[in-house]
Amino acid sequence: MKVTQKVKKILANYESDNPGTKANIARLLMHGKLAGTGKMVILPVDQGFEHGPARSFAPNPPAYDPHYHFQLAIDAGLNAYAAPLGMLEAGADTFAGAIPTILKVNSANSLSTNKDQAVHGSVEDALRLGCSAIGFTIYPGSEDQYEMMEEIREMILEAKSVGLAVVMWSYPRGGKLDKAGETAFDVCAYACHMAALLGAHIIKVKPPTAVLWQEEAKKVYEARKIDGSTLAKRIEHVMKTAFEGRRLVVFSGGEAKDEASLLAEIKALRDGGATGSIVGRNAFQRPREEALALLEKIVAIYKGND
Ligand code: FBP
């Protein structure tokens, strides 16, 4: 694997990390069709946990099989595949070394009312399965947010000490946040910044709407004329909150939607300077050939081809 200058420059932003962690960040950035570009597209498949099996897989039944997702990510030439323990274990031998993997170590489920997550995977599991990173979700704003941050503090320390990378899903929800607040411009930027402060190497947030939700922050956004008029402008600002672009930030795909809207959104993410996308339902809920064609278009957008 020849690490490109572009990727070397990105690795230099991780000033405190050991060679093992840097090698794993490099693996994530040097795999697949976007290898070496500094951009990434990741397939996440933890929706079976978060939303339930039928809601996740019934739209495309072959997706009940964990092997399906490894193969989809590999054939689409994505940078990495992220999933909880059982999913990764179910394809661990067949796909060993075939694509960088991210072990999602905590999850929520739709049967609970708590805006919290259970830790069900470990750094040891990630090493045993040959993963490049652990993935962890926090819910900024929830009543349990401090506990989640404390849990991740310990796991980040452990992961970094054994040379793994850390990917953090930072999804505001719970507490006093309403639906509009969860994806508001200022709240999303705040969630991204907190993930950077917690020590994440790669941050995952949702694409923000134009809503300014916190009263005090709104005054500053308006007074300082922080432009949130287009999605690309909002992404530009979110990247600033990731230490002026010193941290990698990928944006989630969301519920399955029509191709034109998804591609328009991805172009805006790219134009705003996003590192890339993490696209789950929009990929695996489509028939395989359709998903591969769509992922090809998404990759082409990040390559700079419109
Ligand atoms: P999608 O592209 O399917 O939205 O996947 C991204 C993701 O972060 C998953 O990892 C996670 O299961 C899901 O979104 C959570 O979605 P939500 O927060 O809407 O329940």
Side-chain angles (χ1 to χ4, degrees):
M1 176 175 90
K2 185 177 179 305
V3 178
T4 59
Q5 284 307 321
K6 184 112 197 170
V7 170
K8 282 189 182 156
K9 209 164 157 231
I10 292 172
L11 294 179
N13 288 330
Y14 296 97
E15 298 199 15
S16 73
D17 283 294
N18 63 31
T21 296
K22 288 193 180 216
N24 273 317
I25 298 171
R27 260 176 214 125
L28 294 166
L29 287 165
M30 292 304 306
H31 189 87
K33 293 179 179 164
L34 287 167
T37 61
K39 300 287 174 184
M40 20 175 29
V41 177
I42 299 172
L43 178 72
V45 189
D46 58 342
Q47 295 80 355
F49 223 139
E50 303 264 333
H51 306 145
R55 271 175 69 194
S56 303
F57 307 131
N60 178 33
Y64 280 105
D65 181 353
H67 283 211
Y68 179 86
H69 302 287
F70 277 97
Q71 200 62 61
L72 181 64
I74 292 165
D75 292 347
L78 304 190
N79 296 72
Y81 169 49
L85 186 67
M87 289 289 264
L88 291 187
E89 285 187 340
D93 187 36
T94 307
F95 298 100
I99 184 166
T101 51
I102 300 165
L103 175 67
K104 187 81 200 309
V105 295
N106 72 345
S107 299
N109 70 69
S110 306
L111 303 174
S112 170
T113 51
N114 276 14
K115 297 299 178 204
D116 194 7
Q117 295 242 341
V119 177
H120 49 64
S122 66
V123 166
E124 207 180 329
D125 288 318
L127 291 175
R128 176 173 59 85
L129 294 170
C131 300
S132 297
I134 58 161
F136 195 102
T137 301
I138 56 164
Y139 289 153
S142 92
E143 307 298 352
D144 296 305
Q145 61 173 326
Y146 295 121
E147 196 189 305
M148 298 176 94
M149 289 175 188
E150 283 167 21
E151 282 165 359
I152 192 58
R153 183 196 73 78
E154 286 173 18
M155 288 193 89
I156 288 179
L157 179 63
E158 198 187 344
K160 288 181 176 177
S161 71
V162 298
L164 290 173
V166 175
V167 185
M168 197 177 300
W169 278 233
S170 190
Y171 284 177
R173 67 186 56 178
K176 61 183 182 182
L177 284 166
D178 54 19
K179 271 281 157 219
E182 288 180 1
T183 50
F185 182 26
D186 56 317
V187 176
C188 175
Y190 198 171
C192 178
H193 189 63
M194 281 194 274
L197 292 173
L198 285 164
H201 299 109
I202 302 173
I203 299 160
K204 172 171 187 257
V205 286
K206 296 194 177 187
T209 65
V211 172
L212 289 172
W213 193 79
Q214 306 159 95
E215 272 317 311
E216 289 307 309
K218 186 173 181 203
K219 288 180 200 159
V220 177
Y221 275 77
E222 287 171 352
R224 300 287 168 187
K225 298 190 175 24
I226 299 173
D227 189 355
S229 58
T230 64
L231 179 56
K233 284 288 170 197
R234 297 193 287 277
I235 299 302
E236 227 174 81
H237 173 67
V238 171
M239 294 308 293
K240 273 191 170 300
T241 69
F243 298 162
E244 190 70 88
R246 285 175 186 271
R247 295 295 174 261
L248 300 167
V249 186
V250 292
F251 292 82
S252 61
E255 283 173 26
K257 45 183 165 267
D258 68 274
E259 181 173 312
S261 335
L262 181 68
L263 295 179
E265 184 174 287
I266 304 257
K267 276 183 198 166
L269 298 176
R270 182 219 37 212
D271 293 346
T275 303
S277 286
I278 179 152
V279 182
R281 285 165 287 179
N282 273 288
F284 67 73
Q285 290 187 341
R286 286 177 156 81
R288 189 181 132 87
E289 291 311 314
E290 225 179 274
L292 286 172
L294 176 66
L295 289 167
E296 180 76 43
K297 288 181 192 161
I298 293 175
V299 164
I301 291 173
Y302 282 112
K303 276 187 178 162
N305 315 328
D306 272 310

